[in-house]
Amino acid sequence: MLEIRHLKSLKAIAETGKLGLAAERIFLTQSALSHQIRALEMHYEITLFKRGAHGLRFTPAGQRLLDLANELLPLIDKSERDLVRLKSKQSGELRIVLECHTCFDWLTPVMDVFRRAWPEVEIDLVAGFHSDPWHLLHEGKADLVIGGLPEKIGTLAHQPLFKFEIMAVIPPNHSKHKKARFVAEDFTNETLITYPVPEERIDIIRHVLKPANINFGRRTAELTIAIMQLVASRRGIAALPSWGIQNYVDHEYVIAKSIGKKGLWSELHATGSAETITLPYTIDLVNIIKNTCAAHLKGIKLLNSINI
Amino acid sequence: MLEIRHLKSLKAIAETGKLGLAAERIFLTQSALSHQIRALEMHYEITLFKRGAHGLRFTPAGQRLLDLANELLPLIDKSERDLVRLKSKQSGELRIVLECHTCFDWLTPVMDVFRRAWPEVEIDLVAGFHSDPWHLLHEGKADLVIGGLPEKIGTLAHQPLFKFEIMAVIPPNHSKHKKARFVAEDFTNETLITYPVPEERIDIIRHVLKPANINFGRRTAELTIAIMQLVASRRGIAALPSWGIQNYVDHEYVIAKSIGKKGLWSELHATGSAETITLPYTIDLVNIIKNTCAAHLKGIKLLNSINI
DNA sequence: CTTTGATATGAATTTAATTCAAATTTATCA
DNA sequence: TGATAAATTTGAATTAAATTCATATCAAAG
């Protein structure tokens, strides 16, 4: 009666703490997951979770099954990779370009995991800052861009990774620190501190401030910590992925606010040639990114893969 | 897409070598298993078996998934036992009586497996030969009888284990050694060598010879090897479970023939009080017996558990 | 007290698994 | 060499399970 999909469900619940978010992560409705967990508890005649408005907490029995999940799922992944190798010899290289500054934080562990899974594939990060990373794909200087989608997809292909919330970042004593959430108007006459990227590629500007005709200043910094320092010292405010600022928020160095009623969400994709995107180890890199980020970055929502 | 039931299917195929027998073992139709394997091969886009009238042989990819099955299934069993323990502390004793001589051969390894799985339960074999083992249950001198079913089940409960074929065992130079199979008439005026058990509890006599009004002699021996020696030296013939004589047959010490067109089949059950039969570790013993015997005894057919 | 957020539940719908019936293939036997 | 047996495959039909839908329930927050 226990199946691998149950193990995946338990892992998603562990990562999110909420039934609804876990369901989203594994592409079910909250109701389906509720039924699934209930059926599992009835089968084993034991309670797996303590439930409430706080979400779900594992009982010792639930934890035991989660331990099993954590033990089995990597073995399954590994054997599925071995099947891929049995089909045909895999070797090659993946030159990755990031179109997203804060992604550096999680990409290093992802590359470590990938190197262990595919020692016969050479994976590397293309150094430096690139104003138009997708052009490097055409020039043969990169194999994969991780970031948003290019304006013109052309002959390129892509796989969606996940979406994440962009939070307004303000100093703790900001005049609007008590607001539940920020709206476009709250940025009026503020200095927006961003990475040195064209405005049309900054989501807060492109999707919120420009459409609302907000007047604001601009200032740039290349490092996240520099942006945090400027915000904390009241030189301006910022808008960054929640995961990139979590440490600073936890230490009350800055405050984070959702933008708009539903939050401002942005999507990450892996873009490359159709040939590269359909390679088995590229597909696996996409899965490794999803799994690793799902486990470590709070609040992200995984996106379903596209059949190419 | 890979689920635990697939792993169980692969294990059953490994144990039987035939799709039909494997399907029987996991309580599916042969067609259902064929569909299942086909769907798995389409999902992974790789062939898992070499097929033919010879049955199925694992390809390297199939073997890889079988390796995964052999790795994961014990871990799953173990964690399910832990859930049982989390429900309530398990301890107790199981005093086993065998109503079947040749079962000794496989029961020792089964008890070893059980002791590792349930160190807190005392399991032991009740020594000696018993003319009416089920009476020991009433007398409180045993907890479980492994063998056939008692004539009167009364307040006892039981779980089916498996069924096995009883083969006619003859010396290699027997006048009828070329027959495809034996029938009741082939036993006429032969000396039937059996364990020292009442006739009404010897299946070949009860179900074949008696109903056909066959005249035959009787001779008893307590040990299987003694029976084999008597048969080999043409002192008579025997009728025993296929697994109990496999070694002697392989070494061409004796010959085995099916009895009747469809073979003579007998069932094994675990019988005890309703209370004992529903204890978690007794249920698990039943599963351990099934799994261990399925893996090691050729030709047996597992029986489905009863809901009590 | 209302609203929000989180889970549970029963019925309906959709999907997947399984069975049924027959076909196909290969090996064995007379 | 043809018939038979044994083993698997295949498509359609049936059954079972999974999932969604719509709503209810409960607890916490405002």
Side-chain angles (χ1 to χ4, degrees):
Chain A
M1 192 273 174
L2 182 70
E3 294 290 11
I4 291 169
R5 66 194 167 80
H6 297 119
L7 302 180
K8 289 172 174 170
S9 299
L10 291 165
K11 183 166 173 278
I13 293 170
E15 286 169 354
T16 60
K18 307 270 173 72
L19 210 46
L21 292 177
E24 246 184 39
R25 182 155 294 193
I26 56 178
F27 310 105
L28 290 179
T29 62
Q30 172 268 316
S31 162
L33 188 51
S34 183
H35 277 297
Q36 187 187 103
I37 297 304
R38 181 59 130 180
L40 210 49
E41 286 178 324
M42 290 186 74
H43 172 74
Y44 286 118
E45 298 181 309
I46 198 166
T47 299
L48 300 174
F49 297 101
K50 200 174 193 179
R51 300 152 155 83
H54 53 70
L56 299 164
R57 291 190 190 121
F58 285 79
T59 61
Q63 182 64 50
R64 183 63 186 87
L65 285 185
L66 178 63
D67 292 344
L68 180 67
N70 288 330
E71 190 172 11
L72 301 196
L73 293 176
L75 296 173
I76 293 163
D77 287 345
K78 186 179 189 318
S79 80
E80 286 182 327
R81 284 183 195 110
D82 289 342
L83 287 191
V84 166
R85 289 188 173 93
L86 284 164
K87 274 161 77 177
S88 61
K89 199 154 174 58
Q90 303 288 314
S91 70
E93 69 177 333
L94 274 180
R95 293 164 298 174
I96 311 289
V97 172
L98 282 180
E99 190 256 342
C100 158
H101 277 69
T102 48
C103 292
F104 278 101
D105 295 345
W106 54 258
L107 191 65
T108 302
V110 157
M111 289 173 71
D112 287 344
V113 172
F114 182 87
R115 285 189 179 109
R116 281 196 296 275
W118 297 93
E120 67 273 55
V121 176
E122 189 91 5
I123 189 171
D124 264 305
L125 207 51
V126 177
F129 179 72
H130 313 281
S131 58
D132 181 359
W134 298 281
H135 200 56
L136 296 174
L137 298 171
H138 292 299
E139 291 177 356
K141 290 174 176 170
D143 300 302
L144 214 63
V145 174
I146 295 177
L149 285 173
E151 288 187 14
K152 283 181 173 175
I153 195 80
T155 57
L156 296 176
H158 73 100
Q159 279 293 353
L161 299 176
F162 55 88
K163 61 184 179 183
F164 56 94
E165 190 174 8
I166 295 174
M167 312 292 290
V169 192
I170 62 175
N173 53 1
H174 194 281
S175 65
K176 290 172 178 170
H177 71 280
K178 279 183 172 170
K179 294 199 72 178
R181 66 180 67 87
F182 263 40
V183 293
E185 286 67 33
D186 294 314
F187 289 83
T188 301
N189 292 333
E190 293 275 1
T191 300
L192 186 67
I193 309 168
T194 75
Y195 299 107
V197 175
E199 284 191 3
E200 59 271 22
R201 279 177 36 208
I202 300 177
D203 285 323
I204 181 71
I205 298 176
R206 182 174 171 186
H207 297 295
V208 179
L209 303 185
K210 277 289 195 210
N213 279 320
I214 300 298
N215 284 328
F216 61 95
R218 272 292 302 284
R219 181 169 183 171
T220 65
E222 285 210 24
L223 300 178
T224 305
I225 191 172
I227 296 179
M228 291 300 101
Q229 283 169 342
L230 288 167
V231 167
S233 61
R234 303 190 61 169
R235 298 295 206 280
I237 63 177
L240 291 172
S242 53
W243 78 69
I245 58 173
Q246 195 61 51
N247 273 337
Y248 304 98
V249 170
D250 290 345
H251 288 83
E252 296 178 15
Y253 195 61
V254 292
I255 287 173
K257 302 285 184 184
S258 281
I259 299 170
K261 194 173 169 81
K262 291 182 171 181
L264 173 64
W265 291 84
S266 188
E267 294 187 359
L268 272 190
H269 296 259
T271 307
S273 71
E275 185 196 349
T276 299
I277 287 291
T278 51
L279 287 171
Y281 55 78
T282 308
I283 293 170
D284 199 36
L285 174 64
V286 164
N287 288 326
I288 289 171
I289 291 173
K290 286 178 170 179
N291 284 334
T292 308
C293 291
H296 295 107
L297 308 181
K298 281 189 187 312
I300 69 168
K301 297 176 190 291
L302 297 185
L303 297 167
N304 230 329
S305 290
I306 298 175
N307 285 332
I308 293 180
Chain B
M1 194 276 170
L2 183 70
E3 293 290 12
I4 291 168
R5 64 194 169 82
H6 297 119
L7 302 179
K8 289 172 173 170
S9 298
L10 292 165
K11 182 166 174 278
I13 293 169
E15 287 168 353
T16 61
K18 307 270 173 70
L19 210 48
L21 292 177
E24 247 186 35
R25 182 156 294 193
I26 55 178
F27 310 106
L28 289 179
T29 62
Q30 173 267 313
S31 162
L33 188 50
S34 182
H35 277 298
Q36 188 186 100
I37 295 307
R38 181 60 131 179
L40 210 49
E41 286 178 324
M42 291 187 73
H43 172 76
Y44 287 117
E45 299 180 306
I46 198 166
T47 299
L48 301 174
F49 297 101
K50 200 174 195 178
R51 297 150 157 86
H54 53 70
L56 299 162
R57 291 191 189 122
F58 286 78
T59 61
Q63 182 64 49
R64 184 62 188 88
L65 284 184
L66 178 63
D67 292 344
L68 180 67
N70 287 330
E71 190 172 12
L72 300 197
L73 292 174
L75 296 173
I76 294 163
D77 286 345
K78 186 178 188 320
S79 79
E80 285 181 329
R81 284 184 195 111
D82 290 341
L83 288 190
V84 166
R85 288 188 175 93
L86 284 162
K87 274 161 76 179
S88 62
K89 200 155 175 57
Q90 303 289 314
S91 70
E93 71 178 331
L94 273 179
R95 293 165 297 173
I96 311 289
V97 171
L98 282 180
E99 191 258 340
C100 158
H101 277 69
T102 46
C103 293
F104 279 100
D105 294 347
W106 53 258
L107 191 65
T108 302
V110 157
M111 288 171 73
D112 287 344
V113 172
F114 183 87
R115 285 190 179 108
R116 283 198 293 277
W118 296 93
E120 68 273 56
V121 177
E122 188 90 8
I123 190 171
D124 263 306
L125 208 51
V126 177
F129 179 73
H130 316 282
S131 59
D132 181 0
W134 300 281
H135 199 56
L136 296 175
L137 298 171
H138 292 298
E139 291 177 353
K141 289 174 176 170
D143 299 301
L144 214 62
V145 174
I146 294 177
L149 285 173
E151 287 186 17
K152 285 181 170 175
I153 196 81
T155 56
L156 297 176
H158 73 101
Q159 279 294 350
L161 299 176
F162 55 87
K163 57 185 181 183
F164 56 95
E165 190 175 6
I166 294 173
M167 312 292 289
V169 193
I170 63 175
N173 54 3
H174 194 281
S175 65
K176 292 172 177 168
H177 70 280
K178 278 182 173 171
K179 294 199 70 173
R181 65 180 65 84
F182 263 41
V183 295
E185 285 68 34
D186 294 314
F187 287 83
T188 300
N189 293 330
E190 292 277 359
T191 300
L192 186 67
I193 309 168
T194 73
Y195 298 109
V197 174
E199 284 192 1
E200 58 270 25
R201 280 176 37 207
I202 299 176
D203 286 323
I204 181 68
I205 298 175
R206 182 173 169 186
H207 297 294
V208 178
L209 303 185
K210 278 286 194 206
N213 278 320
I214 299 300
N215 285 327
F216 61 95
R218 274 293 302 283
R219 182 169 181 171
T220 64
E222 285 211 24
L223 299 179
T224 306
I225 191 171
I227 296 179
M228 291 301 100
Q229 284 169 341
L230 289 167
V231 168
S233 61
R234 306 189 62 168
R235 298 298 205 275
I237 63 177
L240 291 172
S242 52
W243 77 70
I245 59 174
Q246 196 60 52
N247 272 338
Y248 305 98
V249 170
D250 289 345
H251 288 84
E252 297 178 12
Y253 196 60
V254 292
I255 286 172
K257 302 285 183 184
S258 282
I259 299 170
K261 193 173 170 77
K262 290 182 169 179
L264 174 63
W265 290 83
S266 191
E267 292 186 2
L268 272 190
H269 296 259
T271 306
S273 71
E275 185 196 350
T276 297
I277 286 293
T278 52
L279 285 172
Y281 55 78
T282 308
I283 293 171
D284 199 35
L285 175 64
V286 165
N287 288 327
I288 289 170
I289 291 173
K290 287 177 169 181
N291 284 337
T292 308
C293 291
H296 295 109
L297 308 182
K298 281 188 185 316
I300 68 168
K301 295 177 191 291
L302 297 185
L303 296 167
N304 228 330
S305 289
I306 297 175
N307 284 333
I308 294 181

